[in-house]
Amino acid sequence: MIFNKEIECMSRKNMEQLQLKRLQNIVYYCYEKVPFYKAKFDAVNLKPKDIKELKDIEKIPFTTKEDLRDNYPFDMFAVPMKEIVETHASSGTTGKPVVVGYTKNDLETWSEAVARLAAAAGVTSEDVAQVAFGYGMFTGGFGLHYGLQKLGATVIPASAGNSERQLMYMQDFKTTVLISTPSYALYLSEICEDMGIDPKSLSLKIGLFGGEGHSDELTKEVEKRWGIIDTENYGMTEITGPGVSGECTHKTGMHICEDLFYPEIIDSTTEKQLPIGEKGEMVLTTLVKEGIPMLRFRTKDITILDDKPCQCGRTSIRMHKIFGRSDDMLIIKGVNVFPSQIESVLMKFDKIAPHYQILLKSHGFMDTIEVLVEVENGDILDSYRKLEQLEKDIRHEIRTVLQIDATIKLVEPKTLERTEGKSKRVVDMRNKKQY
Ligand code: ADP
Ligand code: ZN
């Protein structure tokens, strides 16, 4: 089902007209309402009237996460607090979190964006949707909640954690849609098996997974274990929370709500726009947001845009799965590699479980990389020869595919840390330099 056919199937020409009109409005709005934007425009001698066509967006200075932190908590809001009806914040692992505020209209827009991606994944009003994202300042829980309700699904606001209880709800309420991070979906399948229940015997049909990336290989693994279709969606606190984009059942990339969020891809170093089809950092502009509008927000997420037609009939531009964040790209002896690429290689081996951790270490002046991977069946650990051979094979495959030399350490099943939210795959131990 297409939630908003008029918008999601709009011709390119009409979409661009709509985007331009909305961009011009939001630029005037930001300039008038947010001193931060006025100062940025004035510094480069730019006036709202200078935005005459879509490509003039390149004249607008970027906004970064640091800008939001500097304006903590509310200085980038464009409306008085009495018009803000809800606030959220990103996790803020380093320093102050980023705080965002929604007006009543913003909550409507957010719900619409999430309803579209849920419908695209095949969810209908007949479904029972269990939200295993945290409710609280994190945008994941409430975002999916509002969108699924707008679609008319029955929402179970289970929130994150308490896996046995999650499984009890899934069994007793006949949950058909699971909302979580992909790593949690995998973890939950393990717990389900440990409890002696076959995950495939439950009523689950669709996974709406987001908040972190997962490789195609991991997707297949999740689909196999649960017997479901695993769909991915994407978003971030600064733009709206979840709802920026999501996969349809054809899985040709995530359809972007382009009438709400204008996407660009830039080269992170030169900061210049790249043409459609080239890989780079995604920059997003909110076209209708009232509470805290974002002009050219640098997401740091690396992706590729695709405007080829999709069989589902939606005409919106799609984005490839995120390759990684520009700041989590690893540089190992001069070779650039994203953790997601390592995951893809690991997932090709069937004797290992889809749980791994990447340790970055320094050895003298050299950075080295060690990958801990769980074996699927602990018996292999008793056979030194077999273990050594498997480690060698994985190391060889990583070297062939990614041109990096990694030390592989196979570990007992279920010994690496599991999380209920976003997984932490990379542990950087390099600050303890040993020279
Ligand atoms: P934080 O920066 O604190 O993690 P958010 O919770 O807003 O804040 O997370 C947004 C980020 O999560 C995105 O910028 C992106 O890096 C990541 N993310 C969200 N969805 C996906 C996805 N489907 N694939 C890869 N990364 C994702
Ligand atoms: Zn599609």
Side-chain angles (χ1 to χ4, degrees), residues 83-290:
E83 286 178 41
I84 297 287
V85 295
E86 187 164 322
T87 60
H88 280 281
S90 75
S91 34
T93 27
T94 49
K96 292 276 190 197
V98 164
V99 181
V100 294
Y102 301 73
T103 64
K104 277 207 166 108
N105 286 336
D106 291 339
L107 287 187
E108 270 304 308
T109 310
W110 192 14
S111 317
E112 154 103 24
V114 174
R116 284 187 207 169
L117 74 84
V123 182
T124 70
S125 57
E126 307 281 314
D127 278 300
V128 178
Q130 186 163 328
V131 182
F133 269 150
Y135 280 67
M137 293 308 265
F138 174 56
T139 52
F142 281 96
L144 266 301
H145 184 102
Y146 296 144
L148 287 158
Q149 264 185 353
K150 193 173 181 84
L151 192 59
T154 308
V155 179
I156 305 172
S159 197
N162 204 341
S163 303
E164 279 85 12
R165 185 152 297 234
Q166 299 278 359
L167 288 163
M168 183 187 86
Y169 295 144
M170 286 170 84
Q171 277 189 303
D172 297 348
F173 302 174
K174 307 219 172 345
T175 300
T176 54
V177 184
L178 176 67
I179 293 91
S180 71
T181 55
S183 53
Y184 187 62
L186 187 67
Y187 178 35
L188 205 56
S189 73
E190 257 179 17
I191 298 180
C192 192
E193 280 162 10
D194 287 352
M195 288 166 69
I197 309 163
D198 175 7
K200 287 195 282 296
S201 69
L202 303 184
S203 311
L204 207 63
K205 288 187 314 195
I206 302 170
L208 290 181
F209 302 132
E212 64 182 11
H214 59 319
S215 61
D216 288 336
E217 291 79 5
L218 189 62
T219 301
K220 283 195 200 103
E221 181 72 25
V222 169
E223 292 191 327
K224 193 176 84 194
R225 287 179 179 228
W226 284 105
I228 59 170
I229 171 168
D230 163 325
T231 67
E232 176 161 356
N233 60 78
Y234 166 85
M236 82 252 341
T237 312
E238 294 84 349
I239 297 300
T240 192
V244 171
S245 64
E247 281 180 322
C248 70
T249 50
H250 296 276
K251 304 223 244 181
T252 51
M254 294 178 272
H255 286 277
I256 302 177
C257 291
E258 276 184 274
D259 57 316
L260 309 175
F261 316 110
Y262 186 81
E264 297 170 77
I265 297 291
I266 62 161
D267 177 316
S268 294
T269 319
T270 66
E271 303 190 331
K272 293 274 175 262
Q273 232 184 54
L274 294 172
I276 283 196
E278 282 190 31
K279 194 200 266 188
E281 177 181 341
M282 176 127 98
V283 170
L284 290 167
T285 296
T286 61
L287 294 175
V288 296
K289 193 147 70 139
E290 298 175 343

